[in-house]
Amino acid sequence: MKQSVSGETIFALSSGRLPAGVAIIRLSGPKTRFVIETICGKLPAPRVAALRTFVDCDGNPIDRGLVIYFPAPSSFTGEECGEFHLHGGKAVADAMITCMYSFEGCRMAEAGEFTKRAYENGKFDLTVAEGLADLIAAETEGQRRLALHIASGAQASLYSGWRQELIRARALIEAELDFADEADVPGSVSDQVWTDLSELGQRISKHVADGKRGVLVRDGFRVVIVGEPNAGKSSLLNALAGSDVAIVSDEPGTTRDLIEIKLDLGGLPVLVTDTAGLRDTEGKVERIGINRARERAAAADLVVALVDLSNAAADFPGDVDNAAVLRVGTKFDLNPAYKRDDCDLVISVRDNDGLEALLAIFAKRAAEAAGNLSDPLPTRRRHLELLAVTSHELEMAVRQDNAPLEVRAEFLRRASFALGRITGHVDVEDILDVVFSQFCIGK
């Protein structure tokens, strides 16, 4: 196992904002044992919580709580680790942190540094580290399930398996290049690999296509509300949010910028955006808002187009560049006798009529778009970009069957290199700081 080159011992409050019932201070590094023995008087048995009185370097008591010791390499980071469980008062935690600063070679950890050390010590790869970051940031059940699946190593196992297939194919091809003159090496040993590589390319391409599902679960199913001025867009957004997040007025053009709320529907994040009313206008600011509305609608997973049923002259906006459009009639309470055959649903925000049906449609569409959350979906742009490179290089190797074998072998080398960068097996120094800076202090 690769060991961290750092000689420093790091520590941090790992239990979140104070005051709290319990404050947990974590430490990792070569001085862990010495720090624990100095503060507690005696090292506890490995991985057993022991009740101790904590004292500073001058022997003054700090608190009484639990201490746990994790010897290397059987710890989260692969180094010697420890945890102090104190009462969660701010003054108590500050006193313990001040005490730990007094030890030479000990310092406060940077964001994500515990996880970074675990990666550097070979405890897991980058995809697992990113899954842990997503698990910490998860706000919905769907995000939790997908992040836990990735943090458990499903994505790492998938990518490592693909990389091994590429390495094996390269070995067979290079064997033909290097030993073509040997009597015991068939002259066309590489021919058997191209069919397998073609099938591998199809699997990777499908995985890249599934990336939209992963991004949806991580970032949210995007719903955009559009319509003419006074169609009821802001009233609908406020009703969905349960608060007045948007200004509601009879004056046309009140909403000029995008206003967004986040809902948790069926365990999936759903982002609902209110937009400027679509109309011809001379106002410069309102026109900018209308252009933004059209752009957001074009990129949405679902567009909710509104029409005011109380106004017989009103109509749905006709310039929405999106095939996924739900047509909704609003203000049904003002004109219940008025019928339109082109409405998928009618609602009344005032009477709270039709809103549950609308939310049920959002939840159903989001669930259909997310699909099976047990799949190891790519959730990050970094993954998708490197997978796209892998797929392209693999396709070049397979399709250029008239190219010299050396050229096709080079395409495969580049494909396996790109795949290795996802898991962190090759040349990832330039992305490590970006990945681990997303963690909170103490993780």
Side-chain angles (χ1 to χ4, degrees), residues 399-438:
R399 288 192 175 184
Q400 296 197 26
D401 49 3
N402 293 324
L405 204 53
E406 293 88 347
V407 173
R408 303 177 78 183
E410 174 61 16
F411 285 130
L412 293 182
R413 185 195 68 80
R414 289 159 63 171
S416 60
F417 183 82
L419 203 54
R421 281 177 60 85
I422 300 177
T423 56
H425 286 111
V426 292
D427 188 29
V428 291
E429 292 300 322
D430 55 334
I431 64 172
L432 290 183
D433 289 342
V434 175
V435 169
F436 292 106
S437 65
Q438 301 171 37

Side-chain angles (χ1 to χ4, degrees), residues 221-228 231-237 240 263 265 270-278 293 296-308 315-318 320-330 342-347 349 354-355 357-363 365:
F221 182 81
R222 297 163 299 171
V223 176
V224 175
I225 304 172
V226 299
E228 296 178 346
K233 299 183 298 299
S234 297
S235 296
L236 175 58
L237 189 78
L240 296 176
L263 305 175
L265 300 179
V270 176
L271 308 179
V272 184
T273 305
D274 180 22
T275 62
L278 302 182
R296 184 64 66 90
D301 298 301
L302 177 65
V303 174
V304 178
L306 303 187
V307 64
D308 182 359
D315 204 353
F316 291 108
V320 177
D321 185 19
N322 195 313
V325 177
L326 182 70
R327 296 174 179 270
V328 177
T330 64
D342 54 355
C343 289
D344 300 309
L345 182 70
V346 295
I347 63 172
V349 171
L355 295 184
L358 183 61
L359 288 173
I361 292 174
F362 291 172
R365 296 286 186 96

Side-chain angles (χ1 to χ4, degrees), residues 40-96:
C40 300
K42 181 181 178 182
L43 191 72
R47 292 174 292 281
V48 175
L51 182 63
R52 295 283 193 273
T53 297
F54 305 143
V55 299
D56 62 21
C57 292
D58 295 324
N60 301 312
I62 299 174
D63 193 14
R64 185 167 173 81
L66 299 177
V67 60
I68 308 175
Y69 170 64
F70 303 91
S74 301
S75 69
F76 175 73
T77 64
E79 304 172 329
E80 284 195 336
C81 288
E83 289 181 358
F84 296 106
H85 295 231
L86 308 93
H87 292 94
K90 189 175 184 300
V92 176
D94 285 347
M96 177 64 84

Side-chain angles (χ1 to χ4, degrees), residues 210-221:
D210 283 342
K212 185 176 181 180
R213 294 167 50 208
V215 172
L216 181 149
V217 175
R218 188 170 185 265
D219 296 339
F221 182 81

Side-chain angles (χ1 to χ4, degrees), residues 26 66 120 122 125 185 212 215 230 242 282 301 313 377 382 396 417 429 433:
R26 168 186 284 179
L66 299 177
E120 290 174 339
D125 73 0
V185 178
K212 185 176 181 180
V215 172
N230 289 337
E282 297 298 325
D301 298 301
L377 304 174
R382 183 181 79 84
M396 294 291 288
F417 183 82
E429 292 300 322
D433 289 342

